[in-house]
Every structure is written in structure tokens, then in C-alpha cells.
Amino acid sequence: MIDLNEAGAGLQGYELLAAQLEALLAGERDFIANASQFSAFLYSQVDDLNWAGFYLNRNQELVLGPFQGQVACVRIPFGRGVCGAAAQSLQTQRVEDVHAFPGHIACDSASNSELVVPLVKAGRLIGVLDLDSPKLARFGVEDQRGIERLAEIFLQSSDC
Ligand code: SME
């Protein structure tokens, strides 16, 4: 079992999380196992989250994958809500107030802000990584860059 306190000693913030995630996923390439670990890692290590997990691309529809948090809606069409917008545009969606986002899908009424990163490997959309927060404007530009880096580590560490 990896000791997260030992991995990345001396580092801070997202640099520390990146070192810890690399150590956590080292030696395992199974996608579902690593996605499960990654969602639990994010949920426990990133402050102020009420949901962290995956929607996976299944024939141009997003289907719920490994996650931490409350039960969630299972299927999201491309183009719908924040996750669907990320899948369709292939651009990270950083939403300061989800209630102002057209078509936002409220899985948990506690959510106020959201960050959704599309997961693209070898030109193929694997799915999206979705983080929800009860805090308004929880995710800034630094958070976006940091979480995108973590998502890249996850993709490089996993067969998909
Ligand atoms: N709020 C998301 C739906 C997924 S849940 O937050 C887990 C959206 O609008 O796409």
C-alpha cells in the first residue's frame, strides 16, 4: 500500500498531488481500477468537493463511471449540461456558478460550481472527469491547470 505522505515529500499543492498520483497508479494499468483510485484520491485530497468521478464515452453518449459522492444521473447526451458540453467541445468547462449554466444537470442540489475535463487519448475521447463543489467559484485557473495535469497522468498510466 502506497504511503501518500511519503510520495512527493517537500512538494506542495498540485505538484505534490501529481507526485502522489504517479506513485498511487504506478504498477497498475487497468482503466477501471485506476479510475476508481483516482476518483477516491481526488475526493479525499482536494478540498471542498461533493462529487468527483467519471463519465465515459459509450457510442457518443456519456455513461456514469467510477466516482465518489452521492448517486448521480447515469446517462448524459453529448451537448447536455456541463459534462456534455466538455465532451462535445473537447474543452475543459470551468463553471463558477452552475445555476447560471444553460442546461446544467443538478445531480446534487448542494453543487454550486463545477470543473469538467475531457479525457482525450490518441485523438479519441475516452470520457470526462467531473468535479463538483458546494462552494461558488471553487475552481480557478490554477485548479484547472492542476486537475488537467492530474488527468493527463491518469491517462498516461492507464490502458484505454
Ligand atoms: N452536473 C453535471 C452532471 C453530472 S453530476 O454533477 C455528477 C452536468 O451538468 O453535466
Side-chain angles (χ1 to χ4, degrees), residues 51-52 55 62 64 67 70-73 76 80-85 98 101 103-108 111 114 116 130-132:
W51 204 90
Y55 281 91
L62 293 173
L64 185 63
F67 71 95
Q70 297 220 31
V71 295
C73 54
I76 301 177
R80 270 209 62 208
V82 186
C83 292
V98 293
F101 191 94
H104 165 252
I105 304 162
C107 291
D108 181 347
S111 299
E114 186 160 356
V116 183
D130 181 17
L131 302 184
D132 288 358

Side-chain angles (χ1 to χ4, degrees), residues 68-145:
Q68 301 275 308
Q70 297 220 31
V71 295
C73 54
V74 174
R75 290 177 186 269
I76 301 177
F78 277 31
R80 270 209 62 208
V82 186
C83 292
Q88 191 161 65
S89 65
L90 301 180
Q91 303 287 319
T92 295
Q93 304 291 306
R94 188 165 55 83
V95 181
E96 298 196 337
D97 179 359
V98 293
H99 307 290
F101 191 94
H104 165 252
I105 304 162
C107 291
D108 181 347
S109 60
S111 299
N112 280 313
S113 61
E114 186 160 356
L115 183 73
V116 183
V117 178
L119 303 170
V120 178
K121 191 164 181 181
R124 210 161 50 89
L125 179 73
I126 307 297
V128 301
L129 171 64
D130 181 17
L131 302 184
D132 288 358
S133 173
K135 272 179 101 172
L136 279 170
R138 161 66 184 84
F139 307 102
V141 175
E142 285 303 305
D143 298 293
Q144 177 177 342
R145 290 208 188 101

